[in-house]
Amino acid sequence: KPLPSLVYEEVAKVSRTMHIVDYEKCVKAGEFISSTIRYSYKTFLPRDGHYVWFRAQNNSVSSETHDWFGNVLCSFDLLEFLRGNQNVNLFYIDCAYFGYSSASRILLTTKIQEPNAKKIDLSSLKYGDPLMFDGEKLLFLSLDVGRTRKWFGTHNTQIVVDANTIDLRNLFEICEKTVVNHSKANKMDRNQCFVQHQCLLYNSRGKVCPSAYTVKDTRDYSNGILNMNNS
């Protein structure tokens, strides 16, 4: 169990970052493209479900900060979304550990029940939960410390959108789109191995990232055709 002194930060946005080719596919489709569950996700979500993954972020990250998820960040205000969609529910699914980091998964769905999951709402979010609501703003857990201090690492609060019940077209439309830095992808260490945490989709699987771009590179590539309202 975690120590009482957990670290929280204000949720400035809930975001999803994609490589430019995947963002192009969303633009052509006019909506977010969902995916099924991989074993590496370490989640209790049903394998036959379709989801779109987001993460809670604060205001400290700039577009020039390297983003190991890709080139284009799509974000929306979760609190505003929940207040504007009273039929949407939150379910706490699980918490997975990955070496020196951990991740809590919260499902966003219009379902009223989810097997083996705890339903949560704004009034129930409190200290100790991956999300906390203080009456005015949402906060997310960003640091987790093991009770024996043998485990210590960053914590990601992930918002998983149920593609079967949430309108992905509307969600894509309301998202703010921002070009971010992904230029550190494909960097090699002295052993000619990809440096860790530079590109999740490609380098982490031993593959070369096709879009290791700076913000300017991505803007030049897009050439104004990718419908970014904040690039």
Side-chain angles (χ1 to χ4, degrees), residues 156-225:
N156 295 302
T157 299
Q158 300 175 337
I159 305 299
V160 188
V161 175
D162 177 10
N164 293 324
T165 67
I166 301 296
D167 186 346
L168 298 185
R169 182 174 294 273
N170 176 67
L171 188 61
F172 186 67
E173 288 178 355
I174 67 172
C175 274
E176 178 182 0
K177 287 84 173 179
T178 307
V179 176
V180 292
N181 182 24
H182 193 59
S183 62
K184 290 184 179 180
N186 300 334
K187 299 294 183 183
M188 296 281 195
D189 61 21
R190 64 180 65 184
N191 297 316
Q192 292 304 297
C193 296
F194 290 117
V195 176
Q196 291 185 347
H197 300 112
Q198 302 302 339
C199 178
L200 176 63
L201 185 60
Y202 293 98
N203 292 175
S204 294
R205 300 173 185 174
K207 299 179 180 180
V208 174
C209 176
S211 55
Y213 297 159
T214 64
V215 170
K216 183 180 184 303
D217 290 336
T218 301
R219 285 175 177 163
D220 291 344
Y221 175 90
S222 67
N223 197 28
I225 65 172

Side-chain angles (χ1 to χ4, degrees), residues 1-7 100 143-153:
K1 295 182 180 180
L3 288 171
S5 54
L6 302 175
V7 177
Y100 291 98
L143 198 64
D144 193 3
V145 186
R147 180 171 293 277
T148 62
R149 294 190 179 271
K150 291 181 179 180
W151 190 93
F152 181 92

Side-chain angles (χ1 to χ4, degrees), residues 6-68:
L6 302 175
V7 177
Y8 284 85
E9 298 179 42
E10 182 178 352
V11 178
K13 56 191 173 185
V14 173
S15 66
R16 172 177 177 80
T17 305
M18 295 174 280
H19 284 75
I20 191 71
V21 292
D22 294 320
Y23 179 74
E24 284 182 289
K25 292 176 183 178
C26 291
V27 170
K28 290 178 181 177
E31 63 182 28
F32 283 111
I33 298 174
S34 63
S35 62
T36 53
I37 298 297
R38 295 192 182 100
Y39 176 78
S40 59
Y41 291 0
K42 298 181 179 180
T43 181
F44 293 140
L45 285 166
R47 291 292 183 88
D48 58 351
H50 286 76
Y51 308 96
V52 182
W53 296 69
F54 290 79
R55 66 191 188 279
Q57 284 191 302
N58 58 26
N59 261 331
S60 66
V61 181
S62 74
S63 61
E64 293 296 338
T65 302
H66 182 80
D67 190 324
W68 82 312

